[in-house]
Amino acid sequence: MTEPSPRLTRAQQRRQTEESILVAARQMFAELGYERTTIRAVAKAAGVDAGLVMHYFGTKDNLFSRAAELPAEELSADELPGGGSGEIVEVLLASLSSRLDGEPVASLAVLRSMLTNSDAAERYRAAAEPQLSQITAAIPTEDAELRASLLSAIVHGVIIERYLLRLGRLADASPDQIIELLRPCFQTLATTEMPPSTVRPAGAS
């Protein structure tokens, strides 16, 4: 005889309801952005009353703040170890590969919303700056800061293209194929000292 499932405590029910709301909110913020996502739509997707969403989270801003928090596994992927530029390249590629293999919904909620919502933009900057500094420190060239910015832009651009824009083959290509095509580009940006530019500055005679 199958034993009946234990009844959830009130605290467990609350946590379960909150998580259902957050799952629905992350997906909607990622798909629609901050401005087009409504409390009523999130409540419907979570299967609860809109008043309950307001009771738990207070405002749409608070709901977004909670929904956009990166999970522990995504945060750890962004923490780069100390090391040379070659090691940094492999860590960046491994982190990107894991995101290409599974939709990073919390990150997408921020990326989709950051152009129209100042809180999302600030979250994006706050999350990106520590990693950008680590990448810069590992690149042994005078223009390391620019190179690190380009590497960061490629990573975020690939994520946006694959999950939000869904243009061309990038939307369904295998992570391994994408990573192998990017590896030479990453290695060049992180390790190769380029010769001095022969392009004359504007206005030079």
Side-chain angles (χ1 to χ4, degrees), residues 48-91:
V48 301
D49 184 81
L52 195 59
V53 177
M54 299 299 290
H55 174 71
Y56 284 161
F57 298 96
T59 66
K60 180 177 167 180
D61 282 344
N62 289 342
L63 176 62
F64 178 76
S65 294
R66 287 285 305 280
E69 289 175 355
L70 296 181
E73 59 270 22
E74 244 179 86
L75 285 170
S76 62
D78 281 340
E79 293 171 358
L80 300 177
S85 55
E87 183 180 1
I88 290 294
V89 164
E90 292 306 316
V91 173

Side-chain angles (χ1 to χ4, degrees), residues 132-155:
L132 195 61
S133 296
Q134 286 182 280
I135 299 171
T136 301
I139 297 176
T141 65
E142 292 184 0
D143 57 351
E145 189 172 357
L146 175 58
R147 289 167 180 253
S149 296
L150 286 170
L151 287 168
S152 178
I154 292 170
V155 169

Side-chain angles (χ1 to χ4, degrees), residues 4-13:
S5 301
R7 295 185 62 182
L8 297 177
T9 66
R10 186 166 297 180
Q12 289 171 326
Q13 290 175 342

Side-chain angles (χ1 to χ4, degrees), residues 88-184:
I88 290 294
V89 164
E90 292 306 316
V91 173
L92 280 174
L93 290 173
S95 174
L96 176 58
S97 178
S98 69
R99 296 181 186 189
L100 294 173
D101 196 41
E103 187 173 10
V105 182
S107 292
L108 291 176
V110 177
L111 290 171
R112 170 76 79 176
S113 303
M114 66 181 183
L115 297 180
T116 58
N117 179 262
S118 58
D119 185 48
E122 184 56 38
R123 284 177 176 278
Y124 177 85
R125 283 190 290 270
E129 282 176 359
Q131 186 188 80
L132 195 61
S133 296
Q134 286 182 280
I135 299 171
T136 301
I139 297 176
T141 65
E142 292 184 0
D143 57 351
E145 189 172 357
L146 175 58
R147 289 167 180 253
S149 296
L150 286 170
L151 287 168
S152 178
I154 292 170
V155 169
H156 292 105
V158 168
I159 295 296
I160 290 171
E161 184 84 9
R162 184 173 179 85
Y163 293 113
L164 300 182
L165 299 180
R166 300 183 182 276
L167 294 175
R169 283 298 315 281
L170 190 53
D172 56 15
S174 74
D176 287 345
Q177 184 180 11
I178 295 171
I179 295 304
E180 287 311 305
L181 287 171
L182 285 175
R183 179 171 275 108

